[in-house]
Amino acid sequence: MRRFAGLHLLHLESVDSTNSYVLSRPDLLLKAGLVVYADHQTSGRGRMGRRWFLGSRGNLAASLVIQPDLPKDYLSCMTLLVGLGVYEALSTLGLEGLSIKWPNDILIADKKVCGILCETSGAAGLQAIVAGIGLNIRGDRDDFPPEVRGRLTTLESHGVRPSRKEMLELLLDHVDRVLCLASEGHVDMLLDKWEGSSSSIGRRVRFSQDGNTHVATIAGLGPHGDLRVRLAGSASLVTVVSGEVEYL
Ligand code: BTN
Protein backbone atom coordinates (compact mmCIF):
# COMPACT_ATOMS: atom_id res chain seq x y z
CA MET A 1 0.00 0.00 0.00
CA ARG A 2 1.59 3.28 -1.15
CA ARG A 3 1.62 6.22 1.26
CA PHE A 4 3.15 9.18 -0.58
CA ALA A 5 3.32 8.65 -4.35
CA GLY A 6 0.72 7.15 -6.65
CA LEU A 7 -2.39 6.86 -4.51
CA HIS A 8 -4.61 8.22 -7.31
CA LEU A 9 -3.82 8.35 -11.04
CA LEU A 10 -5.22 10.88 -13.52
CA HIS A 11 -4.58 10.27 -17.22
CA LEU A 12 -4.75 13.11 -19.80
CA GLU A 13 -4.45 12.69 -23.55
CA SER A 14 -2.79 16.02 -24.15
CA VAL A 15 -1.73 18.90 -21.91
CA ASP A 16 0.72 21.80 -22.12
CA SER A 17 2.80 20.43 -19.23
CA THR A 18 1.72 18.01 -16.52
CA ASN A 19 3.61 20.12 -13.94
CA SER A 20 1.91 23.35 -15.07
CA TYR A 21 -1.48 21.62 -15.07
CA VAL A 22 -1.13 20.47 -11.47
CA LEU A 23 0.39 23.75 -10.26
CA SER A 24 -2.53 25.71 -11.72
CA ARG A 25 -5.14 23.61 -9.88
CA PRO A 26 -5.24 24.08 -6.08
CA ASP A 27 -7.80 21.25 -5.87
CA LEU A 28 -5.21 18.87 -7.33
CA LEU A 29 -2.42 20.19 -5.12
CA LEU A 30 -4.52 19.18 -2.13
CA LYS A 31 -4.61 15.57 -3.31
CA ALA A 32 -1.50 14.15 -1.71
CA GLY A 33 -0.31 11.11 -3.65
CA LEU A 34 -1.97 12.16 -6.93
CA VAL A 35 -0.16 11.40 -10.18
CA VAL A 36 -1.11 13.16 -13.42
CA TYR A 37 0.32 11.61 -16.59
CA ALA A 38 -0.19 12.48 -20.22
CA ASP A 39 0.24 10.99 -23.70
CA HIS A 40 1.32 14.33 -25.18
CA GLN A 41 2.80 17.53 -23.76
CA THR A 42 2.74 20.59 -25.98
CA SER A 43 5.01 22.76 -23.76
CA GLY A 44 6.92 20.36 -21.53
CA ARG A 45 9.25 22.18 -19.17
CA GLY A 46 12.72 21.18 -18.05
CA ARG A 47 15.03 22.51 -15.36
CA MET A 48 16.71 25.91 -15.76
CA GLY A 49 13.84 27.22 -17.92
CA ARG A 50 14.56 24.76 -20.71
CA ARG A 51 12.00 22.88 -22.85
CA TRP A 52 11.41 19.18 -22.38
CA PHE A 53 10.67 17.12 -25.48
CA LEU A 54 8.53 14.09 -24.90
CA GLY A 55 8.90 12.57 -28.35
CA SER A 56 5.93 10.87 -30.02
CA ARG A 57 6.53 7.22 -29.23
CA GLY A 58 5.01 6.55 -25.83
CA ASN A 59 7.47 8.16 -23.45
CA LEU A 60 6.46 9.04 -19.93
CA ALA A 61 5.46 12.48 -18.65
CA ALA A 62 4.11 12.35 -15.12
CA SER A 63 3.74 14.77 -12.22
CA LEU A 64 3.52 13.51 -8.65
CA VAL A 65 1.85 15.59 -5.94
CA ILE A 66 3.85 14.89 -2.82
CA GLN A 67 3.14 16.20 0.65
CA PRO A 68 6.28 14.99 2.35
CA ASP A 69 6.33 13.99 5.97
CA LEU A 70 9.80 15.38 6.61
CA PRO A 71 11.35 17.89 9.01
CA LYS A 72 11.77 21.30 7.28
CA ASP A 73 15.57 20.94 7.19
CA TYR A 74 15.25 17.95 4.94
CA LEU A 75 12.80 19.37 2.40
CA SER A 76 15.69 20.46 0.19
CA CYS A 77 16.57 16.76 -0.17
CA MET A 78 13.24 15.92 -1.78
CA THR A 79 14.54 16.40 -5.27
CA LEU A 80 17.39 13.94 -4.58
CA LEU A 81 15.05 11.44 -2.91
CA VAL A 82 12.68 11.38 -5.90
CA GLY A 83 15.72 10.88 -8.15
CA LEU A 84 16.91 8.01 -5.97
CA GLY A 85 13.50 6.33 -6.21
CA VAL A 86 13.54 6.65 -10.01
CA TYR A 87 17.11 5.32 -10.13
CA GLU A 88 16.15 2.33 -7.98
CA ALA A 89 13.16 1.55 -10.23
CA LEU A 90 15.33 1.66 -13.36
CA SER A 91 18.04 -0.43 -11.72
CA THR A 92 15.58 -3.37 -11.54
CA LEU A 93 15.66 -3.45 -15.38
CA GLY A 94 19.28 -4.64 -15.46
CA LEU A 95 20.62 -1.61 -17.35
CA GLU A 96 24.41 -1.28 -17.63
CA GLY A 97 25.94 2.10 -16.75
CA LEU A 98 22.96 3.55 -14.87
CA SER A 99 23.79 6.49 -12.59
CA ILE A 100 22.42 9.67 -11.03
CA LYS A 101 23.92 13.02 -11.97
CA TRP A 102 23.43 15.76 -9.40
CA PRO A 103 20.84 16.85 -8.63
CA ASN A 104 18.50 14.32 -10.21
CA ASP A 105 19.21 13.42 -13.83
CA ILE A 106 19.25 9.70 -14.48
CA LEU A 107 21.92 8.69 -16.98
CA ILE A 108 22.78 5.54 -18.88
CA ALA A 109 26.44 5.59 -19.93
CA ASP A 110 26.49 9.34 -19.27
CA LYS A 111 23.49 10.07 -21.55
CA LYS A 112 20.26 11.34 -19.99
CA VAL A 113 17.32 8.91 -19.97
CA CYS A 114 15.21 10.70 -17.35
CA GLY A 115 14.86 14.26 -16.09
CA ILE A 116 13.04 15.40 -12.97
CA LEU A 117 11.65 18.87 -12.30
CA CYS A 118 10.58 19.45 -8.68
CA GLU A 119 8.53 22.59 -8.07
CA THR A 120 6.63 23.92 -5.09
CA SER A 121 3.42 25.83 -4.96
CA GLY A 122 2.89 28.84 -2.77
CA ALA A 123 -0.88 28.44 -3.18
CA ALA A 124 -3.03 28.52 -0.06
CA GLY A 125 -0.11 27.85 2.28
CA LEU A 126 0.28 24.35 0.86
CA GLN A 127 3.47 22.41 1.32
CA ALA A 128 2.96 20.30 -1.77
CA ILE A 129 5.86 19.45 -4.03
CA VAL A 130 5.16 18.68 -7.66
CA ALA A 131 7.75 16.24 -8.96
CA GLY A 132 7.63 16.06 -12.75
CA ILE A 133 9.28 13.02 -14.28
CA GLY A 134 10.13 12.75 -17.97
CA LEU A 135 11.39 9.31 -18.98
CA ASN A 136 12.55 8.39 -22.48
CA ILE A 137 11.27 4.87 -23.03
CA ARG A 138 10.74 4.24 -26.74
CA GLY A 139 12.59 4.89 -29.95
CA ASP A 140 16.10 6.24 -30.04
CA ARG A 141 17.72 9.63 -29.76
CA ASP A 142 16.89 10.46 -33.41
CA ASP A 143 13.28 10.90 -32.24
CA PHE A 144 14.37 14.07 -30.41
CA PRO A 145 15.29 17.50 -31.82
CA PRO A 146 18.91 17.88 -33.02
CA GLU A 147 19.79 20.36 -30.25
CA VAL A 148 19.25 17.77 -27.47
CA ARG A 149 19.89 14.52 -29.34
CA GLY A 150 23.55 14.21 -28.45
CA ARG A 151 22.85 14.32 -24.70
CA LEU A 152 19.91 11.87 -24.57
CA THR A 153 19.22 8.17 -24.68
CA THR A 154 16.17 5.91 -24.33
CA LEU A 155 15.48 2.64 -22.54
CA GLU A 156 14.78 0.94 -25.88
CA SER A 157 18.28 1.87 -27.12
CA HIS A 158 19.55 -0.26 -24.24
CA GLY A 159 17.38 -3.27 -25.05
CA VAL A 160 14.52 -2.64 -22.60
CA ARG A 161 10.94 -2.03 -23.85
CA PRO A 162 8.52 -1.68 -20.92
CA SER A 163 5.13 -0.09 -21.54
CA ARG A 164 4.55 3.39 -20.20
CA LYS A 165 2.02 2.11 -17.66
CA GLU A 166 4.39 -0.62 -16.41
CA MET A 167 7.14 1.97 -16.03
CA LEU A 168 4.85 4.38 -14.22
CA GLU A 169 3.78 1.72 -11.69
CA LEU A 170 7.41 0.67 -11.14
CA LEU A 171 8.55 4.26 -10.61
CA LEU A 172 5.72 4.96 -8.19
CA ASP A 173 6.47 1.85 -6.11
CA HIS A 174 10.12 2.82 -5.74
CA VAL A 175 9.62 6.54 -5.18
CA ASP A 176 7.00 5.70 -2.56
CA ARG A 177 9.36 3.25 -0.83
CA VAL A 178 12.11 5.89 -0.65
CA LEU A 179 9.68 8.51 0.73
CA CYS A 180 8.39 6.04 3.35
CA LEU A 181 11.96 5.36 4.50
CA ALA A 182 12.62 9.13 4.60
CA SER A 183 9.53 9.73 6.75
CA GLU A 184 10.70 6.98 9.12
CA GLY A 185 13.92 8.92 9.76
CA HIS A 186 16.30 7.27 7.29
CA VAL A 187 17.23 10.32 5.21
CA ASP A 188 20.97 10.05 6.01
CA MET A 189 21.01 6.40 4.89
CA LEU A 190 19.18 7.39 1.68
CA LEU A 191 21.67 10.17 0.96
CA ASP A 192 24.51 7.64 1.40
CA LYS A 193 22.72 5.42 -1.11
CA TRP A 194 22.35 8.39 -3.43
CA GLU A 195 26.12 8.97 -3.28
CA GLY A 196 26.73 5.29 -4.01
CA SER A 197 24.44 5.47 -7.06
CA SER A 198 25.82 8.69 -8.46
CA SER A 199 28.39 9.23 -11.18
CA SER A 200 28.94 12.75 -9.83
CA ILE A 201 31.14 11.94 -6.84
CA GLY A 202 34.83 12.46 -7.67
CA ARG A 203 33.93 13.88 -11.09
CA ARG A 204 35.55 17.01 -12.61
CA VAL A 205 32.83 19.47 -13.47
CA ARG A 206 32.19 22.99 -14.69
CA PHE A 207 29.45 25.02 -13.01
CA SER A 208 28.30 28.61 -12.70
CA GLN A 209 27.66 30.39 -9.44
CA ASP A 210 27.19 34.10 -8.71
CA GLY A 211 27.88 34.94 -12.35
CA ASN A 212 31.24 33.12 -12.42
CA THR A 213 32.14 29.84 -14.07
CA HIS A 214 34.26 27.41 -12.05
CA VAL A 215 36.00 24.10 -12.61
CA ALA A 216 35.92 21.78 -9.61
CA THR A 217 35.89 18.18 -8.41
CA ILE A 218 32.77 16.95 -6.63
CA ALA A 219 33.56 15.80 -3.08
CA GLY A 220 30.10 14.62 -1.99
CA LEU A 221 26.76 15.71 -0.59
CA GLY A 222 26.23 18.00 2.35
CA PRO A 223 23.75 17.00 5.08
CA HIS A 224 20.80 18.52 3.22
CA GLY A 225 21.56 17.31 -0.26
CA ASP A 226 23.63 20.27 -1.35
CA LEU A 227 26.80 19.57 -3.29
CA ARG A 228 30.30 19.97 -1.84
CA VAL A 229 32.92 20.71 -4.48
CA ARG A 230 36.67 21.41 -4.36
CA LEU A 231 37.55 24.24 -6.74
CA ALA A 232 40.48 23.58 -9.08
CA GLY A 233 43.70 24.81 -7.43
CA SER A 234 42.12 25.18 -4.00
CA ALA A 235 41.96 22.95 -0.94
CA SER A 236 38.74 24.33 0.47
CA LEU A 237 35.24 23.04 -0.14
CA VAL A 238 32.52 25.18 -1.69
CA THR A 239 28.80 24.46 -1.49
CA VAL A 240 26.56 24.40 -4.55
CA VAL A 241 22.88 24.47 -3.60
CA SER A 242 21.15 24.68 -6.95
CA GLY A 243 21.71 24.83 -10.67
CA GLU A 244 23.56 22.17 -12.55
CA VAL A 245 27.03 20.86 -13.19
CA GLU A 246 28.56 19.88 -16.52
CA TYR A 247 30.72 16.75 -16.54
CA LEU A 248 34.18 17.40 -18.07
C1 BTN B 1 14.98 18.27 -16.71
O1 BTN B 1 15.23 19.34 -17.26
O2 BTN B 1 15.82 17.38 -16.64
C2 BTN B 1 13.64 18.02 -16.08
C3 BTN B 1 12.67 17.48 -17.08
C4 BTN B 1 11.31 17.21 -16.47
C5 BTN B 1 10.28 16.83 -17.51
C6 BTN B 1 8.98 16.42 -16.90
S1 BTN B 1 7.88 15.69 -18.07
C7 BTN B 1 6.59 15.75 -16.89
C8 BTN B 1 6.71 17.07 -16.17
N1 BTN B 1 6.01 18.11 -16.90
C9 BTN B 1 6.85 19.03 -17.39
O3 BTN B 1 6.51 20.01 -18.06
N2 BTN B 1 8.10 18.73 -17.02
C10 BTN B 1 8.17 17.54 -16.23
Side-chain angles (χ1 to χ4, degrees):
M1 176 73 181
R2 295 177 190 144
R3 283 173 54 205
F4 294 100
L7 277 59
H8 333 271
L9 266 56
L10 172 60
H11 172 244
L12 304 173
E13 273 176 23
S14 184
V15 69
D16 52 352
S17 144
T18 53
N19 267 33
S20 303
Y21 181 79
V22 174
L23 286 164
S24 68
R25 296 267 310 258
D27 55 324
L28 298 185
L29 287 166
L30 281 169
K31 281 199 133 193
L34 173 71
V35 176
V36 176
Y37 68 106
D39 297 341
H40 301 286
Q41 274 192 149
T42 51
S43 304
R45 296 188 291 109
R47 295 183 65 244
M48 322 280 295
R50 286 192 288 251
R51 292 188 64 191
W52 181 260
F53 300 96
L54 189 55
S56 54
R57 301 248 218 141
N59 293 325
L60 179 70
S63 295
L64 284 49
V65 179
I66 301 170
Q67 290 184 8
D69 183 14
L70 283 181
K72 248 203 161 86
D73 273 2
Y74 279 125
L75 285 178
S76 54
C77 299
M78 274 302 296
T79 179
L80 302 188
L81 297 179
V82 174
L84 179 64
V86 173
Y87 168 88
E88 293 199 331
L90 293 180
S91 65
T92 65
L93 303 176
L95 295 157
E96 291 273 318
L98 191 68
S99 73
I100 314 178
K101 174 175 181 272
W102 188 88
N104 57 12
D105 288 349
I106 310 296
L107 311 183
I108 304 176
D110 275 359
K111 302 284 183 203
K112 182 157 162 171
V113 71
C114 179
I116 301 170
L117 174 66
C118 284
E119 300 180 289
T120 47
S121 163
L126 288 171
Q127 230 204 21
I129 291 172
V130 178
I133 301 176
L135 175 66
N136 304 332
I137 302 177
R138 291 297 167 88
D140 59 29
R141 58 193 202 176
D142 290 342
D143 295 315
F144 295 90
E147 64 268 29
V148 293
R149 214 172 263 173
R151 298 195 294 272
L152 296 184
T153 190
T154 65
L155 292 181
E156 188 168 9
S157 310
H158 294 268
V160 186
R161 279 186 107 248
S163 73
R164 181 171 46 199
K165 195 68 198 307
E166 283 166 349
M167 254 341 291
L168 180 61
E169 295 291 343
L170 188 67
L171 293 182
L172 294 174
D173 284 344
H174 284 266
V175 170
D176 189 68
R177 202 184 67 89
V178 166
L179 297 180
C180 286
L181 286 168
S183 80
E184 288 156 13
H186 301 294
V187 175
D188 293 344
M189 178 278 283
L190 292 166
L191 293 182
D192 285 349
K193 259 193 160 176
W194 188 99
E195 286 193 331
S197 312
S198 175
S199 49
S200 296
I201 311 302
R203 200 83 181 232
R204 269 188 86 232
V205 294
R206 187 181 296 124
F207 69 98
S208 296
Q209 188 154 271
D210 303 328
N212 298 310
T213 301
H214 306 279
V215 171
T217 301
I218 297 182
L221 292 178
H224 301 123
D226 44 326
L227 201 59
R228 298 286 153 89
V229 304
R230 189 162 279 115
L231 296 184
S234 156
S236 54
L237 290 175
V238 170
T239 298
V240 184
V241 284
S242 63
E244 72 177 4
V245 296
E246 178 195 354
Y247 284 175
L248 296 176

